[in-house]
Amino acid sequence: MIAKAIKGTGFRGALEYDVRKDGGRLIASNMAGTTPRELAMEFGAVRQLRPNLHKAVLHVSLSAAPGERLTDTQWRQIADRYLQGMGFTDNQYVVTRHSDTEHEHVHIVCNRITMAGGVVSDSQDYQRQERLMREIELEFGLQPVVFSREAPRKAATKGEIERNLHTGQPSTRQQLQQLCDAAAQDCDTFAMYVERLEAVGVELVPVVQLKGTKLSGLSYRLDGVFMKGSDLGRSYAAAGIQKRGIRYEQDRDIEAVRRCLQREATRAFDAPDRAGAPGQAPERGGPGGSLGAAGASYGGAGRRDPSDPGADRAASPRPLREFHQPVAGGGDGVSGVQRPGAQGGRADESLGAAPALETGGGRRDDGRINGGARDRIVALGAAASGGPGGDAGLEGRGPVARAGRDRSLEAVRRQIAALGEGSFVVGVRDAKSGLMMLRDWSAAEVEGSLAWLKRMNARGNDIYIRPAGDHGFVLVDDLSSEALARMQQEGYAPAAVIETSPGNYQAWLRLSPQPLPADLRTHAARGMAKRYGADMNSADARHFGRLAGFTNQKPQHTRAGRQPYVLARACPGTVALAASAYLGKVMQSLEQDAAELELRKRLDAIESIRPVSAADPVQEYRRQAKRLLAQYGAEADLSRVDWMIAIGMAKSGRFAMPDIQRAIEEGSPNVDSRKSGHVEDYAKRTAERAWAEAGNAPARPTQPRQAQRDRGADAEPDVVS
């Protein structure tokens, strides 16, 4: 038995359909009316109890399997069982029976508002309804229906059925199901399954995990329509085909996986249409321009099947995105290869001037097309095995397909190695909403999640990273090439330089091989940002930097509808030569700031003192300090102030020597910095001298306040001899 439930706004329309329809009979109700008008008025009266509830109507159809025959009494029992099971125990309802189709069915119109004015919850109503129908089948001995999540093949939707009747042609979903069933017949390897479907025009898009050892996802494309395996049914997904006997083995089938993924990447980035003729450098910005990226979701772009608007498919291609052109003088899109510098050494040994964008496409010596498009295709579509190697070529696709290196992986490894290969916080932020998803990963986990990060990046998300916990790095953001060159000249060569967009850089400066506290790193970052004209808003201990090997999705960096690649320009990972001296200055500055803050706090406490109990030694100290500072000014000798107040407190006879010591420790302005490391000793010696100067015995006195309380309030305080 199948149940279909919808929530609506109007009772009259549902009642007109159920009661007036040919063959419709009212078989159960808890209401007085019998016509649609009468029933609608009754429903409306209860609806006034919750006038703000927009969808108060529940319209349910319960259908028996073809050939099953039930009596009116059985249908009433089933309808009542349904209402009770879904929580409609105190609600208005009517049940009508229809016999206009080959299978018997009834309709239930129910008021979601109870007679007491409450509303029946619709939380997880689909799952609850499905479980309830399975129970009803058992109770009434009806033909069982499998749970939708267990159905091996998705049933045709209403739109697909109507289109089939109208055109006589099956929908794309139905065609894919038929073709996949035929391809799976007597098929025992994934590679054979791929070849059979490709022979009839079906392209597969597999998803592999654990460096290619596990087939975890499967999608299909037919005539430009992209559908996930789960859209077709459980038996067409990755786990489903393996249950049908189509086994996946990495060593045998990985080439078929790579071929599928590279074809998908080539489709996504429109490579075949934009590549110039062999031997000809494409013109930038023109029809033969450098290879770009479509930037669609991982499945690529495709048309929507009009018969199934709910299917999960890409609707249309997104604009092509920009990538970094090679640096003048040679190089690749994502920095990670050794390039000869001006002096014949490695390019990332010295930054020099900012790398310029090459105006022409150019070619490498090995005949491959130069530029970031080849890197992007390999980065987003290839590397199914999770490693950097493997020449998974694509026959007939030109020089782009011969690229087997995962340049994104190389860039990520270089940056992670420069940041210490410890643990990291990786952020995936949506460029439109600004929301960021955080992951705490080790270096190995970052590499293992590269395929997922590529897909998230291709869907419009920016990828960020920072070392986790306390570390010895600070981030200096939004730097120019001139500022970077000056940093190197002054002994602050960064551990990693990341070009986030053409001519714009982030520098990870390593100040210490040991972890540094967050406040020290924030102070150091702010000093560096101010010194080199960087972004002060990013100068703290918690900001993220860009992860190299991915595209910068910020709209302001778009060029001709394309996004730039984030490049790892230099990643030595070394501590800056001038870092030790700079850290000393930063710590000295922090100490001065702390001392000034403590002085300000204590002076404020003295300034704000109000008449209080004279028995509190700290308050007494502050009261006298306020008077003395007002008399001698803010430049008064604070040690002399301590002595004068201690003498006065000792002579008053109201305070014991430990009270005077505590008053100096807690009330004296700036005592922590003035007497750094021996505040307690200083306060004790001052109190002892003042006690002796006042003519008191040097021995530790009894607490006078406690003694006074013991003898009575009117007694004079003791002075121990």
Side-chain angles (χ1 to χ4, degrees), residues 573-619:
T574 54
V575 178
L577 294 177
S580 179
Y582 179 64
L583 273 181
K585 294 179 181 178
V586 171
M587 287 188 285
Q588 183 179 2
S589 176
L590 278 175
E591 291 173 357
Q592 291 175 352
D593 290 347
E596 291 175 3
L597 178 62
E598 179 65 21
L599 174 62
R600 187 70 264 163
K601 287 171 60 178
R602 296 205 177 197
L603 289 176
D604 289 343
I606 291 171
E607 192 65 29
S608 61
I609 192 68
R610 296 290 184 270
V612 292
S613 170
D616 188 334
V618 178
Q619 295 291 354

Side-chain angles (χ1 to χ4, degrees), residues 462-481:
D462 286 303
I463 312 300
Y464 295 87
I465 193 171
R466 74 180 182 200
D470 287 336
H471 50 81
F473 294 89
V474 296
L475 176 67
V476 189
D477 193 12
D478 200 13
L479 290 166
S480 64
S481 59

